[in-house]
Amino acid sequence: TTLVDQLLRQSGTLASHGEMGERVMDSNDLERERGITILSKNTAIRWREWRINIVDTPGHADFGGEVERILSMVDGVVVLVDAAEGPMPQTRFVLQKAIDLKLKPILVINKVDKENCTPDAVQEAVFDLMFELGAEEWQLDFPTLYGSAKNNWMSEEQWQKPTSSIAPLLDCVIKTVSPPKVTEGNTQMLITSIDFSSFTGRIAIGRLHRGILLANESVTMIKSSGQQLKAKIKELFVFEGLGRKKVSKVVAGDICAVMGLEDFEIGDTVAHIEGPEALPSIKIDEPTMSMLFTINDSPFFGKEGKYVTSRHIKERLENELERNLAMRLDQTNSADRFLVYGRGVLHLSVLIETMRREGYELQIGQPQVIFKEIEGKKMEPLEELIIDLPEAVSGRVIEMVTQRKGLSLIHI
């Protein structure tokens, strides 16, 4: 997110908005407090004669649903790796998704100003990781840049010699990532995100894959189930810096926001009014953990929140389902209890904290791992734990992990 700040500054976008502070894309309060990206967000900048759409995604596997839904909007990826820490577990997760979708990677080794950093070793580690993940030969031939986003410089040459700006990264994007490959045919846009405005209602955001979209144009909306609905576009917007710019026409390859559509969901296709064709819907990995949400029936009922009934909680959870693709919701045999499925403890804890801040009062149960039956065998999800620590205390850590039923411990 700090790197996106510098890209916005380099293009002159932030200058027009005055001093905006740091991590301007992390607009959510929880993101700023925790120092992590939770929601995918997009912006667009102009560099030389090109317009570049940028999507900032979370790195943590718990928010993988955010990554999966937006990868269909991009033509290439910038893999950002710490020069001292090297590839992290979440690097593997996000990179696997990008490789599977045949996207061209650009490696950026960041924070080379850190003491004891090893950029060359990190570059080799990323190459080995990509090879292990099944990258094709043309994907393994990726360009590498070294630099420090915080200090506003990037270089394709030597990491020991800082440059004066981050421009080499933008030039590398222009050189490496191909312009959108537009095929002939009727209009097709996949809805990958939903926004809301108190003035205009729900807003559909996605990338136009084929054809053109016009303001005040009638279109066909194809649901994931195959059902077709007639709709009319009221207004069109494209992304420009930190805001949106109203336009009368959007061409194939661009990311846009569409106002005026009703009853749509993420994964639906906006198609031509005549001869509509659907795009493949978004595939999301299944949840791995569940948690019970109930009304607060303790003696402290109503002390903190203003939304306390089961109806309030149910409506809020159903609204969350619209934009949080990795979440699932099941009813139980009680009207006051709801079973919520998510990617992990962090994924569910962010939802709980968001609801608490919005004024919802609820009780939650302990997280439960989801078991599945595959080919007649009962299976459970596994997590990989990597700990860097002095050898003198490794025995105690191994003992603690074993108590938590850790398996297949490998001592390196």
Side-chain angles (χ1 to χ4, degrees):
T1 306
T2 307
L3 179 61
V4 176
D5 282 358
Q6 300 297 358
L7 294 174
L8 288 165
R9 285 193 178 94
Q10 183 69 42
S11 65
T13 304
L14 281 190
S16 61
H17 284 78
E19 188 54 50
M20 299 292 292
E22 294 184 349
R23 290 171 43 229
V24 292
M25 294 290 281
D26 281 350
S27 51
N28 184 300
D29 288 343
L30 274 175
E31 290 178 316
R32 289 190 169 277
E33 288 170 22
R34 292 175 180 247
I36 59 172
T37 300
I38 296 171
L39 303 170
S40 292
K41 292 174 274 314
N42 50 297
T43 181
I45 61 173
R46 295 197 173 273
W47 182 245
R48 309 199 194 283
E49 70 270 26
W50 299 94
R51 173 181 161 80
I52 305 174
N53 280 295
I54 302 170
V55 187
D56 183 23
T57 62
H60 200 286
D62 275 25
F63 308 114
E66 291 289 309
V67 179
E68 287 154 342
R69 71 178 172 83
I70 66 88
L71 279 178
S72 63
M73 296 202 299
V74 300
D75 298 302
V77 292
V78 173
V79 184
L80 195 66
V81 183
D82 190 293
E85 295 175 346
M88 305 293 282
Q90 56 263 35
T91 311
R92 168 185 288 268
F93 173 81
V94 180
L95 199 51
Q96 180 71 74
K97 302 291 180 188
I99 288 170
D100 291 346
L101 285 169
K102 312 294 184 192
L103 297 174
K104 177 73 174 181
I106 297 171
L107 174 61
V108 172
I109 299 176
N110 193 29
K111 303 180 184 177
V112 297
D113 53 327
K114 275 187 175 181
E115 290 185 15
N116 304 319
C117 66
T118 54
D120 296 329
V122 168
Q123 202 263 1
E124 288 182 21
V126 173
F127 182 91
D128 292 343
L129 174 61
M130 291 184 66
F131 183 80
E132 184 186 331
L133 295 176
E136 296 180 18
E137 193 173 329
W138 62 272
Q139 289 175 311
L140 291 171
D141 185 25
F142 54 84
T144 302
L145 289 95
Y146 306 91
S148 169
K150 189 176 180 181
N151 295 323
N152 190 32
W153 69 270
M154 286 287 156
S155 171
E156 278 193 86
E157 306 300 328
Q158 295 176 319
W159 59 270
Q160 298 96 333
K161 294 183 179 178
T163 59
S164 58
S165 76
I166 213 154
L169 174 56
L170 289 167
D171 291 335
C172 183
V173 168
I174 298 298
K175 186 170 63 178
T176 307
V177 180
S178 303
K181 294 180 177 66
V182 179
T183 55
E184 293 294 322
N186 287 341
T187 303
Q188 280 184 320
M189 182 188 111
L190 186 67
I191 298 174
T192 51
S193 187
I194 296 174
D195 202 356
F196 183 82
S197 164
S198 54
F199 298 104
T200 57
R202 297 167 80 226
I203 303 166
I205 298 172
R207 181 179 182 179
L208 184 59
H209 289 264
R210 220 166 64 179
I212 60 170
L213 283 178
L214 301 171
N216 301 311
E217 178 186 24
S218 294
V219 293
T220 301
M221 193 161 60
I222 308 173
K223 310 284 287 179
S224 302
S225 60
Q227 180 189 6
Q228 296 187 6
L229 305 171
K230 301 301 178 188
K232 187 173 182 179
I233 297 171
K234 289 182 181 175
E235 293 180 319
L236 285 171
F237 291 81
V238 294
F239 292 87
E240 194 79 53
L242 301 177
R244 294 180 186 144
K245 178 182 174 186
K246 188 174 179 180
V247 293
S248 58
K249 175 183 175 181
V250 175
V251 297
D254 211 348
I255 297 172
C256 63
V258 182
M259 297 184 185
L261 305 180
E262 294 179 3
D263 193 28
F264 60 84
E265 297 170 352
I266 292 174
D268 293 349
T269 301
V270 177
H272 198 268
I273 191 73
E274 297 175 4
E277 297 174 42
L279 285 163
S281 195
I282 300 168
K283 292 181 181 178
I284 301 291
D285 286 351
E286 294 184 17
T288 58
M289 196 165 281
S290 67
M291 196 179 276
L292 192 67
F293 284 44
T294 68
I295 62 168
N296 182 13
D297 55 6
S298 74
F300 301 103
F301 166 81
K303 297 279 186 184
E304 286 191 5
K306 55 182 178 179
Y307 305 117
V308 296
T309 66
S310 59
R311 178 178 62 84
H312 285 133
I313 295 171
K314 183 185 178 189
E315 286 177 357
R316 176 63 180 82
L317 291 173
E318 286 175 343
N319 287 338
E320 185 70 21
L321 286 175
E322 287 190 359
R323 54 185 181 272
N324 195 336
L325 291 194
M327 199 185 98
R328 301 284 183 274
L329 176 65
D330 271 356
Q331 295 282 357
T332 62
N333 53 11
S334 168
D336 298 337
R337 298 155 70 89
F338 308 95
L339 204 54
V340 180
Y341 299 89
R343 281 285 181 82
V345 174
L346 184 60
H347 183 208
L348 293 170
S349 68
V350 166
L351 169 63
I352 293 162
E353 177 62 15
T354 303
M355 290 179 64
R356 188 191 69 79
R357 293 185 182 202
E358 290 173 358
Y360 290 86
E361 194 174 285
L362 66 155
Q363 291 183 152
I364 55 170
Q366 282 192 333
Q368 302 290 328
V369 170
I370 299 171
F371 295 95
K372 284 181 69 178
E373 198 164 293
I374 302 174
E375 296 178 358
K377 290 184 179 180
K378 192 176 184 182
M379 312 289 277
E380 65 174 320
L382 291 177
E383 284 188 317
E384 190 179 76
L385 176 66
I386 300 171
I387 307 174
D388 295 325
L389 75 173
E391 195 170 351
V393 295
S394 61
R396 177 67 181 136
V397 171
I398 291 171
E399 181 187 336
M400 292 168 69
V401 173
T402 306
Q403 289 172 358
R404 296 286 298 271
K405 300 182 181 179
L407 301 171
S408 306
L409 290 169
I410 302 170
H411 184 55
I412 301 174

